[in-house]
Amino acid sequence: MTITASDSAGQLWEAHWASAVGNISSSAIRELLKVTEEPGVISFAGGLPSPDCFPAEEIALAAERVLANEAGRVLQYGPTEGFPPLRAFLVELMRARGLSIGPEHLLVTNGSQQGLDMIAKLLVDPGDVVLVEEPTYVGALQAFRPYRPRFVTLPMDDDGLQIEGVERALADLAAAGQAPKFLYTVASFQNPTGVTLSAERRRALIALAARHGLPIVEDDPYGELRYSGAAPPLLAALDIERHGAPRHVLYLSTFSKLLVPGLRVGWAVAPEVLLRRMVQVKQGLDLHTSSLAQAIAYEACRDGLLARQIPRIRAVYQQRRDAMLGALEQYLPAGARWTKPDGGMFLWITLPASYNTTDLLARALERKVAFVPGGAFHANGGGTNTMRLNFSFSPPDTIVEGVRRLSEVFKAALG
Amino acid sequence: MTITASDSAGQLWEAHWASAVGNISSSAIRELLKVTEEPGVISFAGGLPSPDCFPAEEIALAAERVLANEAGRVLQYGPTEGFPPLRAFLVELMRARGLSIGPEHLLVTNGSQQGLDMIAKLLVDPGDVVLVEEPTYVGALQAFRPYRPRFVTLPMDDDGLQIEGVERALADLAAAGQAPKFLYTVASFQNPTGVTLSAERRRALIALAARHGLPIVEDDPYGELRYSGAAPPLLAALDIERHGAPRHVLYLSTFSKLLVPGLRVGWAVAPEVLLRRMVQVKQGLDLHTSSLAQAIAYEACRDGLLARQIPRIRAVYQQRRDAMLGALEQYLPAGARWTKPDGGMFLWITLPASYNTTDLLARALERKVAFVPGGAFHANGGGTNTMRLNFSFSPPDTIVEGVRRLSEVFKAALG
């Protein structure tokens, strides 16, 4: 290394980067969001919950209470595992979701995103295989990539992951003497497609995990946001049912979509052996999640706010989903296909193969409508004719107008 | 891999750990803190600021205001770089500390701890050399270790890092064809020793960094907590002075010791090329730091709270430091040496080589007084006759009584 005083800062730091840096890049969505903040743009690009649903008064009251009654505690350093009353509350919430666990299985995180970094840090050496859905959540790819995994993508349909696809991937890997470190899935109202893994396939996946000794990361930010259909059991619930305690599944969830994202409070449910390691990792990462944010989340929710919030959010988002589905039906050209999610915040459009949605985005922005091109959600490339639309952020009228604008973009591209 | 359904969760996960896991362990201090929470124990073990100094009313008022006036913004997702008004505020605060920077050099983090994880992720491949003080902040070791660096320790005295020691380490490494990825230092009121790098040595270190192309991580949580003596310039300020812009120094600081730790709001100042990479890493880690915590920190500080807080904290901690220094003088046996910090929260005791402070801790806890044995602060072992004492948490009378109890432990061990 022969860096000298005359070299630039760029040369200095580039000479010192770890190998991981070649695998680190900015999220296309986040860069895009900067453009879509311009006035007049109808954005289906972000993944923002609607601020119309924020329980701002309840949160203000919660903040007032915890700061009046226990400032010394909620402003001080706290345990890495989480603010004890919140942890106890979340154990109960998990039981209500069908996970019979104890506090020894639960850790509070900075949004569920932090759980993704932690599991990759604990499991992934460079070159290790991680199984991901195709398409998959781009933020998971971003969390995993610095650890330099090799992604093997799994095929999906309208019922989520195809189990035969998982079996085939495992068999191919075994034939090559390899086994994946874990399978990552957003099983309910997937980001980006909105599809949900069927109950039958969930049971098959948990059986398969047991047979192959396969760890599963179940990322569940949206599960409660159901507008139609019946809820299948959580993968984590089936895992506990089968083994008597958490065994194969790391379950991640968050307050971001049910309460507000700005608190950055999520949680992880894991087998004890994994949870203890996650706590150690989190000590090094940031000591613990904001005591105040945790105390506010607890204080706001302790008297049943979520039970009032969830129906309220469902009612608003269902209207918006219906508005988007109706407008797509009305405006989209022949040959376009899209998912019909029973919940969540997103749906997924597949255009005829000749379309390139990255090219279309430039034209869409000229017409003041935005979406996310599907390429970024594909771990190993592809998906150039796909796109993700968010339906939770804008009111129904705006959604219809946005889809109308989109259809003009598609027509112009055809012409 | 031949894990089957009959294996335990422990066997399953142990078969999947990454190589990093062998390097991940719990902080001895955090485990210890659990014991010291028992009533009647005088704890010099923690690193807690005194809740007597928390500006709880100002924070409650700030929370009330931001939730009344801009709930939609402070409860929503926000930019990874940080809440824009807080970033602008911190740029000004940094200018007041002698760093002429722009917002392009500043990123909000989850406490300064998160900056330590990020820099290791960006720079350290397994086996890479990281230079650390001996002793050094145990939380930094914990943040760095999952990336599997080789630590080379640097000798210190009452004026901080010995520059000849740094030069010798660099020369030895160069002779072996190696160069360190960075040097980590808590230059002001170091954790654990309380010593401060002299102004002259700071200039020498920055010159040496320029000559050798050496990145430096300056971790500065305590710099404003000065009770005696004159403040030397920050390493980051000298770096900017020399190069016209941030070049070699990543500077980390935090609200934890000046406002409250429970917000978990810190910040990083870095050369642009590094800062852009840190933003990308943080997207994968947790998207962004709590919008609400950032907004509260900004709202509480915008009208000059820090200028009122800092003298208040200094007055309280100075009394406590003086009480501890006086009690050590009165009670400690011949042969014990200790540092006399001009600020911060900690001091460091070195006992005659025959003492083992880990053994002493068990006896100390019997007498209801706690400290941290020095071994954990030594990256490569050693320091078995050293210990860290915190003087910020307990009032002066309690400190004197605690030191008296400690002296009994020492005497009993001698006898």
Side-chain angles (χ1 to χ4, degrees):
Chain A
M1 209 164 298
T2 54
I3 306 297
T4 70
S6 62
D7 289 319
S8 71
Q11 288 170 302
L12 172 74
W13 291 91
E14 274 155 28
H16 288 81
W17 291 145
S19 314
V21 168
N23 247 14
I24 293 172
S25 65
S26 195
S27 155
I29 300 177
R30 291 196 73 89
E31 297 306 311
L32 187 66
L33 273 173
K34 292 180 184 168
V35 178
T36 62
E37 277 166 12
E38 287 168 24
V41 173
I42 297 177
S43 180
F44 300 137
L48 301 184
S50 172
D52 305 342
C53 297
F54 290 171
E57 279 177 34
E58 288 88 339
I59 286 176
L61 190 62
E64 190 187 324
R65 277 194 199 137
V66 299
L67 286 165
N69 299 334
E70 39 180 351
R73 184 185 189 197
V74 305
L75 298 176
Q76 188 57 282
Y77 286 111
T80 303
E81 291 84 349
F83 184 64
L86 178 67
R87 259 181 112 201
F89 173 85
L90 290 172
V91 166
E92 289 307 314
L93 183 69
M94 290 300 89
R95 288 186 184 155
R97 288 191 192 169
L99 275 60
S100 82
I101 58 160
E104 69 278 13
H105 300 116
L106 194 138
L107 163 70
V108 177
T109 57
N110 298 339
S112 45
Q113 183 74 26
Q114 189 175 43
L116 302 176
D117 173 69
M118 288 197 280
I119 193 64
K121 192 172 224 165
L122 283 168
L123 297 190
V124 178
D125 279 320
D128 279 352
V129 171
V130 171
L131 300 176
V132 294
E133 293 162 331
E134 179 162 272
T136 189
Y137 169 49
V138 66
L141 296 176
Q142 228 186 334
F144 300 157
R145 277 193 171 125
Y147 301 95
R148 295 193 286 151
R150 179 163 80 83
F151 291 115
V152 170
T153 59
L154 304 172
M156 303 175 73
D157 59 28
D158 286 346
D159 288 324
L161 271 180
Q162 294 172 334
I163 299 301
E164 324 79 71
V166 183
E167 283 175 336
R168 203 178 318 121
L170 290 171
D172 289 352
L173 286 166
Q178 290 187 293
K181 282 302 179 83
F182 62 89
L183 182 157
Y184 170 74
T185 177
V186 183
S188 297
F189 318 127
Q190 197 224 18
N191 182 353
T193 63
V195 307
T196 293
L197 190 64
S198 70
E200 192 185 354
R201 289 189 185 177
R202 286 173 190 237
R203 291 183 199 283
L205 186 59
I206 288 300
L208 198 140
R211 210 155 58 239
H212 291 265
L214 175 68
I216 293 177
V217 177
E218 179 180 27
D219 192 359
D220 186 37
Y222 316 109
E224 301 275 10
L225 302 180
R226 175 172 287 278
Y227 323 129
S228 49
L234 295 176
L235 289 166
L238 295 173
D239 179 53
I240 293 170
E241 190 181 295
R242 186 181 185 109
H243 301 285
R247 172 74 62 95
H248 291 80
V249 178
L250 167 63
Y251 175 83
L252 304 174
S253 194
T254 176
F255 281 115
S256 293
K257 314 305 191 282
L258 302 183
L259 203 59
V260 295
L263 291 172
R264 308 304 303 123
V265 177
W267 61 93
V269 175
E272 254 190 282
V273 58
L274 174 60
L275 198 95
R276 279 197 300 266
R277 288 298 192 177
M278 292 178 75
V279 171
Q280 293 172 354
V281 164
K282 188 165 164 68
Q283 285 179 17
L285 282 178
D286 57 16
L287 307 183
H288 62 85
T289 294
S290 165
S291 318
L292 182 60
Q294 292 185 77
I296 291 173
Y298 168 68
E299 184 67 27
C301 291
R302 62 187 293 185
D303 67 346
L305 175 61
L306 290 180
R308 299 191 298 279
Q309 264 298 100
I310 291 169
R312 193 192 305 177
I313 299 172
R314 283 180 180 156
V316 172
Y317 291 3
Q318 174 170 355
Q319 274 200 319
R320 295 176 180 195
R321 176 203 63 172
D322 292 346
M324 185 169 274
L325 288 175
L328 291 172
E329 196 66 56
Q330 182 179 352
Y331 289 115
L332 249 58
R337 288 179 298 115
W338 58 90
T339 57
K340 282 100 184 165
D342 279 322
M345 297 170 40
F346 304 105
L347 59 75
W348 185 251
I349 299 180
T350 305
L351 297 174
S354 60
Y355 285 80
N356 181 308
T357 52
T358 304
D359 296 345
L360 289 183
L361 178 60
R363 303 190 198 183
L365 289 172
E366 284 166 19
R367 289 181 195 248
K368 296 202 175 290
V369 61
F371 57 83
V372 186
F377 302 95
H378 288 67
N380 298 326
T384 52
N385 59 326
T386 60
M387 57 171 60
R388 189 191 75 176
L389 300 191
N390 166 275
F391 56 76
S392 61
F393 187 69
S394 301
D397 288 357
T398 310
I399 287 176
V400 173
E401 168 60 16
V403 172
R404 198 193 57 74
R405 292 184 194 174
L406 260 190
S407 71
E408 287 176 4
V409 175
F410 296 164
K411 276 174 210 151
L414 260 185
Chain B
M1 211 162 296
T2 53
I3 307 297
T4 70
S6 62
D7 290 320
S8 71
Q11 288 171 301
L12 172 74
W13 291 91
E14 275 154 28
H16 288 81
W17 292 145
S19 313
V21 168
N23 247 14
I24 293 171
S25 64
S26 194
S27 156
I29 300 177
R30 291 194 72 88
E31 296 307 311
L32 188 66
L33 273 173
K34 292 179 185 171
V35 179
T36 62
E37 275 166 14
E38 287 169 25
V41 173
I42 298 176
S43 180
F44 301 136
L48 301 184
S50 172
D52 306 342
C53 296
F54 289 171
E57 280 177 34
E58 287 89 339
I59 286 176
L61 191 62
E64 190 186 324
R65 278 194 198 138
V66 299
L67 286 166
N69 299 334
E70 40 180 352
R73 183 185 190 197
V74 305
L75 298 176
Q76 187 57 283
Y77 286 112
T80 304
E81 291 83 348
F83 184 63
L86 178 66
R87 259 181 112 199
F89 173 85
L90 290 173
V91 166
E92 289 307 315
L93 183 69
M94 290 300 89
R95 288 186 184 155
R97 288 189 192 171
L99 276 60
S100 82
I101 58 159
E104 71 277 13
H105 300 115
L106 194 138
L107 164 70
V108 177
T109 56
N110 297 342
S112 45
Q113 183 75 25
Q114 189 175 42
L116 301 176
D117 173 69
M118 288 197 280
I119 193 66
K121 193 171 223 166
L122 282 168
L123 297 191
V124 178
D125 279 320
D128 279 351
V129 171
V130 171
L131 301 175
V132 295
E133 294 163 330
E134 179 163 273
T136 189
Y137 169 50
V138 66
L141 296 176
Q142 228 185 335
F144 300 157
R145 277 192 172 127
Y147 301 94
R148 296 193 286 152
R150 180 164 79 84
F151 291 116
V152 170
T153 59
L154 303 172
M156 303 174 74
D157 59 29
D158 286 347
D159 288 323
L161 271 181
Q162 294 172 335
I163 299 302
E164 324 79 69
V166 183
E167 283 175 335
R168 204 178 318 120
L170 290 171
D172 289 352
L173 286 166
Q178 289 187 293
K181 280 302 178 83
F182 62 88
L183 182 159
Y184 170 74
T185 176
V186 183
S188 297
F189 318 129
Q190 197 224 18
N191 182 352
T193 63
V195 307
T196 293
L197 190 64
S198 70
E200 191 185 355
R201 290 189 185 179
R202 287 173 190 237
R203 290 184 200 282
L205 186 59
I206 288 300
L208 197 140
R211 209 154 59 238
H212 290 265
L214 175 68
I216 293 176
V217 177
E218 180 179 27
D219 192 359
D220 187 38
Y222 315 109
E224 300 275 10
L225 302 181
R226 173 172 287 278
Y227 323 127
S228 49
L234 295 176
L235 289 166
L238 295 173
D239 180 52
I240 294 170
E241 189 180 295
R242 184 179 187 112
H243 300 286
R247 172 74 62 93
H248 291 80
V249 178
L250 167 63
Y251 175 83
L252 304 174
S253 195
T254 175
F255 281 115
S256 293
K257 314 306 191 281
L258 302 182
L259 203 58
V260 294
L263 291 172
R264 307 304 303 124
V265 177
W267 61 92
V269 175
E272 254 188 285
V273 58
L274 175 60
L275 198 95
R276 279 197 300 268
R277 287 298 192 176
M278 292 178 75
V279 170
Q280 292 172 354
V281 164
K282 187 165 165 68
Q283 285 179 19
L285 282 178
D286 57 16
L287 307 183
H288 62 84
T289 294
S290 165
S291 317
L292 181 60
Q294 291 185 74
I296 290 173
Y298 168 68
E299 184 66 28
C301 291
R302 62 187 292 186
D303 68 346
L305 175 61
L306 290 180
R308 300 190 298 278
Q309 262 300 97
I310 292 169
R312 193 191 308 174
I313 299 172
R314 282 180 180 156
V316 172
Y317 290 5
Q318 174 170 357
Q319 273 199 319
R320 294 174 181 197
R321 177 201 63 173
D322 293 346
M324 186 171 274
L325 287 174
L328 291 172
E329 194 67 55
Q330 182 181 351
Y331 289 115
L332 249 57
R337 289 179 297 116
W338 56 92
T339 57
K340 282 100 185 164
D342 279 322
M345 296 170 40
F346 304 105
L347 60 75
W348 185 251
I349 299 180
T350 305
L351 297 174
S354 58
Y355 285 79
N356 181 307
T357 51
T358 304
D359 295 345
L360 290 182
L361 178 60
R363 304 189 196 185
L365 289 173
E366 284 167 18
R367 290 182 195 249
K368 296 201 173 291
V369 60
F371 58 84
V372 185
F377 303 95
H378 289 68
N380 298 325
T384 52
N385 59 325
T386 60
M387 57 171 59
R388 187 190 76 174
L389 300 191
N390 166 275
F391 56 76
S392 61
F393 187 69
S394 301
D397 288 357
T398 310
I399 286 176
V400 172
E401 169 59 16
V403 172
R404 197 192 58 74
R405 291 183 194 174
L406 260 190
S407 72
E408 286 176 5
V409 176
F410 295 164
K411 274 174 209 149
L414 259 185

